[in-house]
Amino acid sequence: MEDAARQAVAICVPVRNEAARLPRFLDGLGRLAVPPATDVAVCLLLDSCTDGSADIVSDYAHRAAFPVHVATACRPDANAGIARHGAMTLGAAVLGNANGILMTTDADSCPQDDWLRITLAALAGADVVAGNVIRRGPRRDAAQDRIERYYADLYALRRRVDPVDWEPPVAHPHSSAANIAIRLSTYAALGGFAPVASGEDARLIDDAARAGFRVRREAASVVHTSTRRQGRAEGGLATALDWLDRAGIDPVRVTHPVDQLWQYRHHAAARSTFRRRDFSALAAAIRLSVDHVIGVARDCPNAEAFAMRVVPVAPQGMRQVSLPIAEAVLAALVAAADPARAA
């Protein structure tokens, strides 16, 4: 990986008792199409494994298409964030330079064959790529499907009122560690995944935007993930699916789309304000003092960081409403924003 013209990539995966799913995942890695001048390493962190995962990984390392680097960890306080960061730290050590690229996914998942090609192409115009995650399995999860459609429509509205040039024409709302690619220098600047039991992926993506990095949510970059109901991460997708099985859609609450739209529109206004350096109108609109807004701008490297940091919650707060109410309101907002699209 010494040739500066080549691109070095580390695929970093935490593994905890995944013997039943590892063969499918590892076979999927072997089918990946590798772009020209790209060197790929697979970095696996065996996190307190007590099943046959280590043996499966050892066998794979002898026949893999890529170099395989394995580390083990056994921490009593281990959680999803700690394990994910451990895998990324292994990847960083293997890359050895700030120009490398870290990609991460899950051992119960399977990337599409074009995952590397599409994700790396997307990263050429961004600092972080949050790829799409599609659930697979013999059963459909109607409630989860409905929730995901709602958030997809809300995110599409966001990018119509607050477009950014690094997003693709078709984006998505996910911030899942099952499909993230990030420049090593960016990951180091952000301090890595937080040591939390769940939500470490969304926090990293939010932190990246607040720091002014370009986050591209690339729908064409696809990883297929498990629909199991007993997962490894506390509070992860498996937990959510299990809860929906038992509770149904009725208890689901989401942020009122009117309040989200208020933020999105003011994000757009903040970007424009940062470029013009005329802060009075924005300060009045978001109900902050001009001095406060100028102080935030002074600490921001670019318009993305400013927009993400300066805009507060909506004046009425971020109200929680039932999903059916949110869907109906969002449909009306979409129609008002773009009647032709809604027709």
Side-chain angles (χ1 to χ4, degrees):
M1 299 188 184
E2 296 178 355
D3 187 347
R6 300 188 67 82
Q7 185 168 232
V9 179
I11 300 174
C12 310
V13 186
V15 179
R16 184 168 190 177
N17 291 342
E18 294 287 7
R21 294 173 176 83
L22 262 174
R24 177 188 174 93
F25 167 68
L26 297 173
D27 287 346
L29 293 183
R31 292 191 297 271
L32 289 174
V34 181
T38 301
D39 296 309
V40 179
V42 176
C43 300
L44 304 174
L45 178 74
L46 300 178
D47 177 28
S48 304
C49 291
T50 58
D51 64 353
S53 294
D55 292 336
I56 292 172
V57 167
S58 178
D59 176 70
Y60 170 74
H62 290 96
R63 57 182 175 80
F66 314 121
V68 178
H69 303 265
V70 182
T72 59
C74 186
R75 290 181 52 168
D77 62 341
N79 57 35
I82 290 172
R84 183 82 56 186
H85 181 61
M88 299 290 265
T89 300
L90 174 61
V94 168
L95 291 174
N97 68 80
N99 295 322
I101 293 169
L102 299 169
M103 299 179 69
T104 188
T105 185
D106 292 331
D108 69 337
S109 300
C110 188
Q112 282 193 174
D113 295 356
D114 57 7
W115 181 55
L116 273 173
R117 178 180 59 81
I118 289 177
T119 305
L120 295 177
L123 197 59
D127 303 296
V128 185
V129 171
N132 203 2
V133 177
I134 298 176
R135 288 169 290 112
R136 57 173 168 77
R139 59 179 296 175
R140 286 185 58 82
D141 305 304
Q144 184 68 15
D145 289 343
R146 183 171 169 183
I147 293 168
E148 291 180 1
R149 281 195 300 271
Y150 168 76
Y151 281 114
D153 291 343
L154 182 62
Y155 194 78
L157 179 61
R158 176 185 187 178
R159 282 313 177 214
R160 288 206 291 278
V161 302
D162 178 29
V164 293
D165 58 13
W166 56 83
E167 282 275 46
V170 180
H172 65 85
H174 305 305
S175 299
S176 172
N179 192 355
I180 289 177
I182 184 169
R183 300 181 187 283
L184 177 54
S185 57
T186 304
Y187 188 76
L190 294 172
F193 285 108
V196 294
S198 63
E200 78 284 358
D201 39 17
R203 183 181 296 192
L204 183 77
I205 296 299
D206 288 346
D207 287 349
R210 288 175 59 83
F213 292 111
R214 301 162 299 170
V215 177
R216 180 182 176 99
R217 287 178 168 82
E218 179 57 70
S221 167
V222 175
V223 166
H224 297 274
T225 197
S226 168
T227 58
R228 63 183 176 184
R229 267 52 179 177
Q230 293 183 334
R232 301 294 179 256
E234 178 184 346
L237 176 61
T239 302
L241 293 175
D242 180 63
W243 181 80
L244 284 170
D245 287 345
R246 293 179 284 106
I249 207 72
D250 291 340
V252 174
R253 295 291 184 272
V254 296
T255 302
H256 201 302
V258 167
D259 302 336
Q260 291 282 193
L261 184 59
W262 185 92
Q263 279 195 323
Y264 299 158
R265 283 175 170 157
H266 287 92
H267 286 157
R271 294 178 199 281
S272 177
T273 295
F274 188 85
R275 290 187 287 269
R276 298 195 320 269
R277 313 303 288 185
D278 179 6
F279 300 102
S280 300
L282 176 67
I286 61 178
R287 304 185 182 187
L288 295 173
S289 72
V290 175
D291 286 345
H292 178 88
V293 172
I294 292 174
V296 175
R298 188 180 298 120
D299 293 335
C300 292
N302 55 34
E304 172 71 358
F306 180 65
M308 295 300 104
R309 294 183 202 179
V310 78
V311 178
V313 299
Q316 62 270 30
M318 305 302 278
R319 296 167 292 172
Q320 298 292 301
V321 296
S322 69
L323 182 61
I325 290 175
E327 290 170 327
V329 174
L330 179 58
L333 293 174
V334 170
D338 190 346
R341 186 185 295 264

